[in-house]
Amino acid sequence: MKIRNIIIAAALLISAASCDDNDAINKSFVDVKVSMPSHLEGKSAELENAVFTLENVNTGEKLVRETSYIPQVYFDLEDGLYNISVEGTITYSNLSLDNKSIQKETGVRAKQENIKVVGGDLDLNLEFVTFNPSQGFLISEIFFADTRTPEGKQYAAGDQYIEIYNNSDKVLYADGLCIAETELMSVEALNEYTPDIRNEAVPVSSVYMIPGSGNEYPVQPGETLLISDIAINHKEANKNSFDLSKSNFEWFDGEDIDTDVPEVKNMIKMVSTSKSVWHLHSRGFKSYILFKFDKEVLPEEYVKDYAYHYEYLFVFNDMEFPMDYDAWKVPNEFIIDAVQCSTPSEYQWMVMSSSLDASYTHSGDGDASRYGRSIKRKVLHVEGDRSILQDTNDSASDFIPTAEPSPGIIETLN
C-alpha cells in the first residue's frame, strides 16, 4: 500500500474515532506540494525551511505546518473555503563572472486563495516565486484617505500624496520612476477573469512618470521624494490637512481640469482611465506600484504597446452579464516596489503576484475612521542618522496601517 493511502486511512480512522455517528463532520484530505521556481531549475536549489499556513476563510481558524526537508504537507480538513500560503528560504548555486560556483540565498513564497475543499481528496500543486528585500527605492508612505474639515466635511481638494524613499546607502536618481494605480480592486474578485496576467504583469489604470534624462534628480541615501496631487499648503483651507508646498513633484492632468503649481515640477502623465483628475481611491480599494521602464517610452507608445483588454462575468442574483474593459499593464520585471491595499472587511483577492506583495495593508476599514490616516512603512533599524525601512514584500508586515500622516518626514523609530 502506498504511504499516501496509509496516511489517508489513518486520518480517516482518527476522524471517525473523534466523532460519534450523530455528529459526523465532513472532512477532506488535502495534499499540498510546492515546486521550486522554474527559473532556478538546474541550479541545485534546496529548501532551507518552509512554513505552511492554511486559513479557513469562514471561521478564521489557522493551521500551521513547518518543514525543512521537502515542500509538501498533508492536511485533514473540515470541508470549506481556504486560503493557503507558504513562505521559506532556499539556497541555490550560481555562476560568478569567472565561472566559479557560488551559493546564494533567496526568500520564496507561494499563495492560493479561495480553495474549495469538499468531497474527499484534493491535490494542490503550487510553485514558489522568489522575493528579495529592496535596497533601492521604496514606497514609504501613501495618503489616499482624504481629510475632513473642522466642520466634519470631506476635504477632497488635492491633499493626497505618495512618498518614495532611498533605502540604499548610495545616491539614486529618480529620473524615469513611475507610479501606477492598479486597475483591479482587492475587494472585487472577478468571475471567469481572463486573460489573467497577474503572474506576468500588473493591470493598471493610471501611470505618471518623473521626468528627466537620467541624472537630473538625485536622491541621497535616507532621503524622500514627496509626490502630491496639488502641491500647496492645504492647511490654509483646512487645518486638518497638510502643507504640501515643499513637494518635489505633483501629478497634473491638464490646465483645463486641474490646478497647476508652477513652483513644483509636474510628472509626465503616461495614461489614465479617469476622464478628469486622478484621485487615489480614497477607501483603499486599489493598490500601487513603483516601476521604471527598461527603455525610453513615450506616453503614446505606452498607450499602444502596453494595452490590456480583459473580460469577466458579472453575476447579480441569478443573472449573468459578460463584461469587458480596456486598461494597461506593467510587466512584473519592471516593478521596483509594490503596495497592495484593501479594507479588512471587504478583502476578496490578490490583485498582483505574491512575488511582488504577499498580502495587503489598509487605512481603516473604508468607513469614516479612515479620514486623516495613511499607510506608513515601518523602520527596521537605524544606521547612524539614516533609517532603514522594512521590506519583506509583505505589506501586512511592512506597513503601519491607519498611521498618523507625516509628509516629507521619515521617523527614526515607529
Side-chain angles (χ1 to χ4, degrees):
M1 182 182 292
K2 294 182 179 179
I3 293 178
R4 171 181 167 78
N5 293 336
I6 295 174
I7 296 174
I8 293 173
L12 291 174
L13 286 173
I14 293 171
S15 177
S18 62
C19 302
D20 60 40
D21 293 339
N22 297 321
D23 191 27
I25 298 175
N26 293 327
K27 288 198 170 187
S28 296
F29 191 86
V30 180
D31 179 3
V32 183
K33 298 177 182 177
V34 189
S35 59
M36 291 296 184
S38 56
H39 69 278
L40 294 184
E41 289 181 2
K43 296 189 175 184
S44 303
E46 293 185 3
L47 181 70
E48 291 291 310
N49 57 72
V51 177
F52 289 69
T53 303
L54 194 144
E55 179 182 10
N56 187 309
V57 173
N58 297 319
T59 67
E61 182 181 358
K62 292 184 179 181
L63 296 175
V64 179
R65 300 280 193 276
E66 187 171 353
T67 180
S68 58
Y69 52 99
I70 55 172
Q72 180 175 9
V73 167
Y74 304 100
F75 291 94
D76 183 27
L77 303 172
E78 291 184 24
D79 287 355
L81 195 65
Y82 290 85
N83 295 334
I84 187 166
S85 62
V86 192
E87 190 160 317
T89 304
I90 61 173
T91 58
Y92 63 97
S93 60
N94 204 18
L95 291 179
S96 64
L97 293 177
D98 56 359
N99 287 325
K100 292 183 179 179
S101 180
I102 56 175
Q103 288 295 111
K104 302 193 73 174
E105 182 178 280
T106 184
V108 288
R109 62 166 59 105
K111 190 169 186 176
Q112 188 167 329
E113 298 177 322
N114 299 322
I115 306 163
K116 292 181 180 179
V117 175
V118 62
D121 298 348
L122 175 65
D123 291 329
L124 190 61
N125 296 300
L126 308 177
E127 180 180 334
F128 276 130
V129 293
T130 57
F131 70 93
N132 285 296
S134 172
Q135 295 180 340
F137 283 120
L138 290 175
I139 297 173
S140 56
E141 185 176 2
I142 307 177
F143 178 74
F144 52 73
D146 292 334
T147 53
R148 274 183 163 177
T149 66
E151 296 75 29
K153 296 181 179 179
Q154 184 175 355
Y155 178 82
D159 61 354
Q160 296 179 323
Y161 65 85
I162 298 172
E163 280 188 350
I164 300 172
Y165 183 74
N166 181 356
N167 207 38
S168 76
D169 59 358
K170 59 185 178 181
V171 177
L172 300 176
Y173 291 89
D175 306 49
L177 283 178
C178 298
I179 285 286
E181 185 176 64
T182 59
E183 166 73 3
L184 304 179
M185 297 194 295
S186 58
V187 299
E188 184 184 11
L190 303 182
N191 294 296
E192 300 183 20
Y193 164 57
T194 183
D196 185 349
I197 62 171
R198 288 174 293 176
N199 283 335
E200 296 82 36
V202 175
V204 296
S205 57
S206 296
V207 179
Y208 292 76
M209 182 170 66
I210 293 176
S213 58
N215 57 1
E216 295 180 35
Y217 300 106
V219 184
Q220 300 296 321
E223 287 190 353
T224 63
L225 285 177
L226 180 59
I227 301 172
S228 62
D229 185 357
I230 301 177
I232 62 173
N233 184 0
H234 291 271
K235 294 180 73 68
E236 294 177 356
N238 173 22
K239 71 175 186 179
N240 294 330
S241 188
F242 323 105
D243 182 0
L244 300 179
S245 62
K246 301 296 191 295
S247 297
N248 302 96
F249 299 94
E250 63 178 6
W251 61 84
F252 180 63
D253 290 294
E255 294 180 358
D256 54 336
I257 56 174
D258 204 355
T259 300
D260 188 19
V261 180
E263 297 80 13
V264 178
K265 192 76 174 179
N266 289 331
M267 300 180 77
I268 298 170
K269 181 178 180 178
M270 300 297 287
V271 74
S272 179
T273 55
S274 174
K275 300 301 182 184
S276 59
V277 297
W278 179 39
H279 191 79
L280 309 185
H281 198 292
S282 65
R283 295 181 66 189
F285 291 173
K286 292 202 170 186
S287 303
Y288 301 90
I289 58 174
L290 176 68
F291 73 96
K292 182 178 283 191
F293 294 106
D294 60 350
K295 61 180 180 179
E296 182 180 3
V297 177
L298 299 175
E300 55 269 26
E301 293 174 324
Y302 182 75
V303 169
K304 177 183 177 182
D305 296 342
Y306 295 88
Y308 169 58
H309 182 84
Y310 66 99
E311 302 174 359
Y312 68 96
L313 193 65
F314 177 72
V315 180
F316 181 74
N317 293 333
D318 294 329
M319 297 179 289
E320 297 181 346
F321 303 91
M323 309 291 288
D324 67 288
Y325 286 92
D326 291 313
W328 296 271
K329 60 186 176 182
V330 175
N332 288 349
E333 61 263 28
F334 292 179
I335 296 174
I336 299 169
D337 192 28
V339 182
Q340 194 161 210
C341 304
S342 192
T343 52
S345 64
E346 298 181 72
Y347 172 78
Q348 292 187 19
W349 71 336
M350 303 274 288
V351 300
M352 60 185 71
S353 167
S354 61
S355 64
L356 301 174
D357 199 356
S359 58
Y360 71 90
T361 187
H362 64 90
S363 181
D365 206 20
D367 55 18
S369 66
R370 76 183 189 274
Y371 290 118
R373 294 291 174 172
S374 71
I375 57 170
K376 186 182 298 185
R377 193 177 290 271
K378 297 176 182 177
V379 174
L380 183 62
H381 61 267
V382 177
E383 293 182 0
D385 60 354
R386 181 169 65 93
S387 295
I388 308 301
L389 304 188
Q390 180 170 309
D391 178 37
T392 64
N393 288 12
D394 185 346
S395 287
S397 174
D398 294 340
F399 279 82
I400 303 168
T402 59
E404 186 71 31
S406 57
I409 299 173
I410 297 294
E411 291 88 349
T412 55
L413 292 174
N414 287 146

